[in-house]
Amino acid sequence: MSRWAIGVDLGGTGIKAAIVGEESGILTKQRALTDTVSGPTGIVGQLAAIITDLYHVASETLDVADFAGVGLGAPGAVDAEKGILSYPPNLPGWTVFPLRDELQKLLRQKEELSIPVFLDNDANVAAFGEAVYGAGREFRDFLMVTLGTGVGGGIVLNRKLYRGPHGTAGEVGFMIIDFESPIFHADICGTLESLIGKKAIVALACKMIKASKSDSRLARLYNRDHSRISPRKLEHAALSGDAVALAVWERVGTILGVGLANVTALMDIRKFVIGGGIAAAGNLVFDPALDQLRRSTLPSMHEGLELVPAHLGNKAGIYGAAALCFG
Amino acid sequence: MSRWAIGVDLGGTGIKAAIVGEESGILTKQRALTDTVSGPTGIVGQLAAIITDLYHVASETLDVADFAGVGLGAPGAVDAEKGILSYPPNLPGWTVFPLRDELQKLLRQKEELSIPVFLDNDANVAAFGEAVYGAGREFRDFLMVTLGTGVGGGIVLNRKLYRGPHGTAGEVGFMIIDFESPIFHADICGTLESLIGKKAIVALACKMIKASKSDSRLARLYNRDHSRISPRKLEHAALSGDAVALAVWERVGTILGVGLANVTALMDIRKFVIGGGIAAAGNLVFDPALDQLRRSTLPSMHEGLELVPAHLGNKAGIYGAAALCFG
């Protein structure tokens, strides 16, 4: 009686897909390298093959009457209503493409499967995954922030995705907190992504290590080979007490906290689920971020302010995509 | 057959109230100085007297069966659901008070009027007024920004007020765009209000006039008496071509544009209705603000970006309050 769906996470490098039971979670997973050579048509073919495969596997043990559909998270700008994916970064040869309808058509033609398909962008899908299966379950309203190569976001209001009037809401990485900063990303100065995206953290760390003139292990690593400074190395150094690494994370957390304060001021959102590779630094970032969030908001808005780590890791996309079908 | 309501705008200085026809707009107005001496009870008494008065006037010509209720906009933090007004600035002796229910009770006891009362904060009410009767009529989703002594905001999504999970949404004056700025308001650095609230504009102008060493009329006024520099004077000077005054407004517009870019990035809102005394500067502020808004957002978000002046001036509160009743 329990429903199930196929959740698909389309990325620039790989495709992750799984059969997801509404109650039981991920049942069977499958992965493939994304075909970045053949453009949209190639990818639609890949997706159809994976989906058909999983559907046949599932139909051996699950009731097809309980099948809720295929959910798909994709990078880039998505018009969820029309099922159109535009300009996905890392997918060359792609401009504006009706991914949902083309996928449905191919499934119908090739496999005679008439399947409802739901499409949304990866940040929204990850947020919805956390909302339904992860750290956001306890929150009615929250912002999911993904700290990784970039800084992304997805907004959940009243347990539903808030996509905004044109479907582009949640771009917290483009929140400007230092508009006269010389540091920029996508030609916009002082955005969260420009200041605490992965590259920015490494650049900040290099600058701080150099300025510190310390002789720590981290400094020796830096002196031997700048390019070996990474968020992971900074995390380890901080956990072993390295003062500079601690200061780097404190700075990253502070900047994050300022950005989140803007979300609280504008939208009255007070719960933040933090995911992505950089979030592995945990309280090294969370503690200063929460401190700064409180300092940067009115006392009348302090009640209920909370930062929590995401629970689903890189499975948030699959879970969220499936959850779109259970909507 | 057309409905009518009583809209009330409670301010720290005055109370404005009017009979408002749903179709026909303001019919009869009334004003009073706010009794700031007797605390909440005094104000409830004042409000009840004005409302009763207007109700009796209205009932001579309008059908009481078409009466939709009393709407009330008030400064400070409002819990619209519970009808509670907390810590209104400029109303001494007020902490947390169930304004809506106390007003209803008094109307019932004293006048035997059983009237539905709707309460919201002044920024939300002004935004809703513009949404229903003013510059926001053409927009389904917009942010109303009030530029005056402070910088306030109200969010309209899908033609309804967005109040947020705790009713404090829309505080665009607390949007931080320069987090390491030495300029602060309410202990928070680099917020829109700290940078382009009325006092901040005057301070900026004084600084820029002094630095310019110009011998313009504006500079001579400044040299004679610093305290005579006002937004109105700056507006006149700019319109007559004063280079420093023009640069001041350009700077104010730029800062506003950065703040609005954050609203677009986060909420995907692309329409902005700008009201308040400072908005009288019109295109002196609007043009650089729109330029900066475009520079500070991704090209994929440029479609539909628009800043328009508010239409209702200081009547937005009365209109919006009445509109709460027609909601």
Side-chain angles (χ1 to χ4, degrees):
Chain A
M1 277 300 291
S2 174
R3 293 189 296 172
W4 59 281
I6 295 173
V8 186
D9 182 353
L10 169 62
T13 314
I15 297 171
K16 285 175 281 189
I19 302 162
V20 181
E22 187 172 14
E23 313 292 335
S24 44
I26 290 178
L27 301 171
T28 309
K29 271 193 290 185
Q30 199 162 323
R31 309 186 63 132
L33 287 174
T34 308
D35 169 5
T36 53
V37 184
S38 331
T41 330
I43 285 177
V44 169
Q46 262 198 307
L47 291 171
I50 294 171
I51 290 161
T52 311
D53 221 36
L54 282 173
Y55 182 82
H56 289 309
V57 169
S59 58
E60 282 168 22
T61 52
L62 299 169
D63 191 339
V64 295
D66 296 329
F67 181 54
V70 170
L72 178 57
V78 171
D79 183 327
E81 220 169 287
K82 295 187 182 141
I84 293 171
L85 173 61
S86 307
Y87 304 101
N90 311 319
L91 294 180
W94 195 301
T95 55
V96 176
F97 188 77
L99 178 57
R100 182 191 62 198
D101 292 355
E102 289 300 316
L103 178 59
Q104 257 178 329
K105 206 199 297 176
L106 191 62
L107 287 166
R108 206 161 40 228
Q109 281 171 356
K110 204 177 131 199
E111 305 291 338
E112 298 189 342
L113 288 177
S114 187
I115 291 182
V117 176
F118 302 85
L119 174 69
D120 211 326
N121 83 56
D122 47 7
N124 279 348
V125 162
F128 199 51
E130 292 289 343
V132 178
Y133 290 98
R137 266 179 304 181
E138 48 182 318
F139 306 140
R140 213 187 51 167
D141 311 275
F142 70 92
L143 173 73
M144 161 106 187
V145 183
T146 306
L147 299 175
T149 308
V151 175
I155 298 169
V156 173
L157 291 183
N158 210 6
R159 302 198 189 280
K160 294 194 186 84
L161 278 173
Y162 171 77
R163 296 182 173 96
H166 317 84
T168 66
E171 289 285 9
V172 71
F174 287 90
M175 180 72 76
I176 299 160
I177 62 158
D178 189 7
F179 79 111
E180 296 186 304
S181 168
I183 302 172
F184 59 87
H185 167 70
D187 289 332
I188 307 174
C189 290
T191 61
L192 276 192
E193 179 155 336
S194 73
L195 298 173
I196 59 168
K198 190 177 156 187
K199 268 189 204 166
I201 293 174
V202 171
L204 173 69
C206 288
K207 205 175 123 187
M208 287 173 73
I209 294 166
K210 201 174 158 194
S212 76
K213 295 178 180 146
S214 114
D215 187 39
S216 64
R217 263 180 75 178
L218 189 69
R220 291 197 302 273
L221 179 72
Y222 168 80
N223 287 328
R224 229 174 21 247
D225 181 0
H226 293 15
S227 72
R228 292 191 56 196
I229 299 296
S230 68
R232 185 56 57 90
K233 290 267 171 27
L234 288 165
E235 188 193 324
H236 291 161
L239 290 175
S240 66
D242 184 279
V244 177
L246 284 166
V248 169
W249 289 118
E250 170 115 19
R251 177 78 179 164
V252 170
T254 298
I255 290 170
L256 176 62
V258 172
L260 301 186
N262 284 348
V263 179
T264 300
L266 186 65
M267 298 194 69
D268 189 24
I269 287 177
R270 303 188 191 178
K271 308 294 184 187
F272 300 94
V273 174
I274 318 287
I278 301 294
N283 287 338
L284 292 170
V285 171
F286 289 23
D287 289 348
L290 184 58
D291 279 357
Q292 187 63 43
L293 174 53
R294 295 175 69 89
R295 270 196 298 272
S296 296
T297 45
L298 289 173
S300 57
M301 296 185 177
H302 288 179
E303 203 185 311
L305 284 178
E306 212 174 333
L307 261 77
V308 303
H311 283 178
L312 303 175
N314 61 14
K315 296 193 192 80
I318 290 175
Y319 271 112
L324 291 177
C325 309
F326 305 134
Chain B
M1 277 300 291
S2 174
R3 293 189 295 174
W4 59 280
I6 295 173
V8 185
D9 181 353
L10 168 62
T13 314
I15 298 172
K16 286 175 281 191
I19 303 163
V20 181
E22 187 172 14
E23 313 292 335
S24 44
I26 290 179
L27 301 172
T28 308
K29 271 193 292 186
Q30 199 162 322
R31 309 186 62 133
L33 288 174
T34 309
D35 169 6
T36 53
V37 184
S38 333
T41 330
I43 285 178
V44 169
Q46 262 197 306
L47 292 171
I50 293 171
I51 290 162
T52 310
D53 220 36
L54 283 171
Y55 181 83
H56 289 309
V57 169
S59 59
E60 283 168 22
T61 52
L62 299 169
D63 191 340
V64 294
D66 296 329
F67 181 54
V70 171
L72 178 56
V78 170
D79 184 328
E81 221 170 287
K82 295 188 184 142
I84 293 170
L85 172 62
S86 308
Y87 304 101
N90 310 319
L91 293 180
W94 196 301
T95 55
V96 176
F97 188 77
L99 179 55
R100 183 191 62 198
D101 292 356
E102 289 301 315
L103 178 57
Q104 257 177 328
K105 204 199 298 177
L106 191 63
L107 287 167
R108 206 161 40 228
Q109 283 172 354
K110 204 177 130 199
E111 305 291 340
E112 298 188 342
L113 289 175
S114 186
I115 292 181
V117 176
F118 302 86
L119 174 68
D120 210 326
N121 83 55
D122 48 6
N124 279 349
V125 162
F128 199 51
E130 292 289 342
V132 178
Y133 291 98
R137 267 180 303 182
E138 47 182 320
F139 306 140
R140 213 187 50 167
D141 310 275
F142 70 93
L143 173 74
M144 161 107 188
V145 184
T146 306
L147 299 174
T149 307
V151 175
I155 299 170
V156 172
L157 291 183
N158 210 7
R159 302 199 188 280
K160 294 194 189 85
L161 278 174
Y162 171 76
R163 296 183 173 94
H166 316 84
T168 66
E171 288 285 8
V172 71
F174 287 91
M175 179 73 75
I176 299 160
I177 63 157
D178 188 7
F179 79 111
E180 296 185 305
S181 168
I183 301 171
F184 59 88
H185 166 71
D187 289 332
I188 308 175
C189 289
T191 61
L192 276 193
E193 180 155 336
S194 73
L195 298 173
I196 58 168
K198 190 177 156 188
K199 267 189 205 166
I201 293 175
V202 170
L204 173 70
C206 288
K207 204 174 124 189
M208 288 173 72
I209 295 166
K210 200 174 159 193
S212 76
K213 293 176 184 150
S214 114
D215 187 39
S216 66
R217 262 180 76 178
L218 190 68
R220 291 199 301 274
L221 179 72
Y222 168 80
N223 287 329
R224 228 170 25 244
D225 181 359
H226 293 16
S227 72
R228 292 192 55 197
I229 300 295
S230 68
R232 185 56 56 90
K233 290 268 169 30
L234 288 165
E235 188 193 324
H236 292 162
L239 291 174
S240 66
D242 184 279
V244 177
L246 283 165
V248 169
W249 289 119
E250 170 116 19
R251 178 78 180 164
V252 170
T254 298
I255 290 170
L256 176 61
V258 172
L260 301 186
N262 284 348
V263 178
T264 300
L266 186 65
M267 298 195 70
D268 189 24
I269 286 177
R270 302 188 190 178
K271 308 293 184 187
F272 300 94
V273 175
I274 317 286
I278 301 294
N283 287 338
L284 292 169
V285 171
F286 288 23
D287 290 348
L290 185 58
D291 280 357
Q292 187 63 44
L293 174 54
R294 296 176 69 89
R295 271 196 297 273
S296 296
T297 44
L298 290 172
S300 59
M301 296 184 177
H302 287 179
E303 203 184 311
L305 283 178
E306 212 175 333
L307 260 77
V308 301
H311 283 177
L312 303 175
N314 62 13
K315 297 193 192 79
I318 289 175
Y319 271 112
L324 291 176
C325 308
F326 304 134

